[in-house]
Amino acid sequence: MFDIHGFEEADTGKEHVVLSMGKVNDGEPVLARVHSECLTGDALFSMRCDCGPQLETALRRIARERRGMVLYLRQEGRGIGLLNKLKAYNLQDQGADTVEANEQLGFEADQRSYSICKAMFSHLGVKSVRLMTNNPRKVQALEDLGVSVVERLELHTGHNPHNSRYLSTKAGKLGHLFDM
């Protein structure tokens, strides 16, 4: 049983949620995942990415420990939105990798912001986390917000023949930490 907490980002009006389990405000580091929305992967089971399996794995790990939280951030497609993400998919079908596709559409490779996380962690009384991520930039972003990341836990799941180039690009161009 998870509890759900809603948050609205004042600057953008975007609505985000936290799914939490157990007592997270006891001062001990909390098992956590900061997950950016991916409609295609999270809800439609796309094999082009590893997002859905990462979300499911994070929720299962938290359930096993009976304590933790997932911050679900509404920033589809690394912050470019759903329709632009679909345009990026089309460019990927024509040979661009995920970073090149975003750039061809006039966006940065990754436009996500984690600033809302500070308010989310603060509201729930969380000061330190054991973060499930392969993304060192996410670790740094949380540290910059004053959230102590005491441990980075790799999240290797969802690899398949349809997303090998996507994962290779995440590792090679975005610095994600996993072996291909």
Side-chain angles (χ1 to χ4, degrees):
M1 295 287 294
F2 285 85
D3 293 319
I4 189 165
H5 313 266
F7 297 84
E8 183 176 358
E9 199 167 355
D11 296 349
T12 65
K14 288 184 180 179
E15 300 170 332
H16 311 278
V17 297
V18 173
L19 297 170
S20 69
M21 178 180 279
K23 187 172 183 175
V24 297
N25 63 350
D26 61 4
E28 292 296 315
V30 176
L31 180 62
R33 165 105 179 121
V34 175
H35 188 87
S36 295
E37 174 183 40
C38 178
L39 176 69
T40 54
D42 296 342
L44 303 176
F45 312 108
S46 172
M47 296 183 72
R48 295 178 82 124
C49 65
D50 57 344
C51 303
Q54 285 185 332
L55 178 61
E56 184 177 340
T57 299
L59 290 168
R60 287 183 189 279
R61 284 184 186 174
I62 291 166
R64 271 196 308 272
E65 289 196 15
R66 297 185 179 167
R67 182 176 176 273
M69 58 198 303
V70 171
L71 286 70
Y72 195 87
L73 306 182
R74 305 291 306 277
Q75 46 189 7
E76 181 81 45
R78 290 197 195 102
I80 68 171
L82 179 59
L83 297 182
N84 284 318
K85 178 181 172 179
L86 298 177
K87 291 174 186 175
Y89 277 0
N90 185 48
L91 292 171
Q92 290 168 34
D93 289 343
Q94 297 173 34
D97 66 33
T98 184
V99 168
E100 294 164 347
N102 280 16
E103 291 171 344
Q104 287 175 28
L105 291 171
F107 300 107
E108 295 175 25
D110 190 341
Q111 296 196 166
R112 292 178 292 183
S113 169
Y114 300 102
S115 59
I116 188 66
C117 295
K118 182 175 184 170
M120 296 167 108
F121 283 122
S122 178
H123 178 78
L124 294 168
V126 174
K127 294 182 172 51
S128 63
V129 296
R130 298 169 40 236
L131 189 66
M132 293 179 276
T133 187
N134 301 321
N135 185 350
R137 293 179 188 182
K138 197 177 291 184
V139 172
Q140 188 62 54
L142 293 186
E143 291 278 354
D144 290 347
L145 293 171
V147 178
S148 175
V149 179
V150 299
E151 183 179 13
R152 183 192 68 84
L153 302 165
E154 59 188 32
L155 199 56
H156 298 290
T157 185
H159 300 190
N160 68 67
H162 304 283
N163 67 13
S164 59
R165 183 168 185 225
Y166 167 81
L167 295 174
S168 177
T169 300
K170 281 174 66 171
K173 290 189 174 181
L174 299 173
H176 288 228
L177 304 170
F178 48 75
D179 294 324
M180 291 303 300

